[in-house]
């Protein structure tokens, strides 16, 4: 009889341990999701700043030199800024389109 009583206790304890492990895993996933959202927002902020820099510097090459950033990186951020503006319903002028 005592063996039967200890089995439900052990099973409950194992169940509790598994639930706690799952709770911690979900908490970590939630933390990562929130961090990824912050990173995405920061990337969009940088992209919008780069798009403004291209306009201020007068072109892609000039912005690349002024920002000390490779041209392909400036182009990538411009693409992100254009995607963001399109999703927001705005229009962003492309570089060199005056």
């Amino acid at each position: 009889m005592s063996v039967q009583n200890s089995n439900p206790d052990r099973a409950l304890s194992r169940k509790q341990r598994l639930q706690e492990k799952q709770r911690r895993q979900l908490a970590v996933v939630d933390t990562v999701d929130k961090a990824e959202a912050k990173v995405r927002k920061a990337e969009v902020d940088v992209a919008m700043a780069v798009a403004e820099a291209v306009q201020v510097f007068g072109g892609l090459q000039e912005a690349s030199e002024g920002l000390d950033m490779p041209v392909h990186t400036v182009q990538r951020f411009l693409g992100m800024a254009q995607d963001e503006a399109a999703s927001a319903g705005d229009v962003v002028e492309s570089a060199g389109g005056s």
Side-chain angles (χ1 to χ4, degrees):
M1 288 282 217
S2 65
V3 171
Q4 290 176 344
N5 288 340
S6 68
N7 280 341
D9 292 340
R10 182 174 284 161
L12 182 60
S13 176
R14 184 175 66 201
K15 181 179 177 182
Q16 288 173 338
R17 286 193 312 267
L18 290 173
Q19 287 174 334
E20 178 60 21
K21 181 178 180 181
Q22 184 180 33
R23 187 196 64 76
R24 287 191 318 261
Q25 289 172 336
L26 290 173
V28 168
V29 168
D30 186 49
T31 300
V32 169
D33 286 346
K34 288 177 183 177
E36 286 177 336
K38 287 179 182 179
V39 167
R40 174 69 183 143
K41 184 185 179 318
E43 284 181 328
V44 169
D45 289 347
V46 170
M48 299 306 281
V50 168
E52 183 178 349
V54 169
Q55 292 177 354
V56 169
F57 282 102
L60 188 66
Q61 185 63 40
E62 293 82 0
S64 170
E65 293 169 5
L67 297 172
D68 194 27
M69 186 180 287
V71 172
H72 64 84
T73 303
V74 173
Q75 290 172 327
R76 182 174 66 86
F77 281 124
L78 279 176
M80 288 175 63
Q82 289 171 344
D83 291 346
E84 184 65 22
S87 70
D90 295 333
V91 176
V92 172
E93 292 182 33
S94 63
S98 294

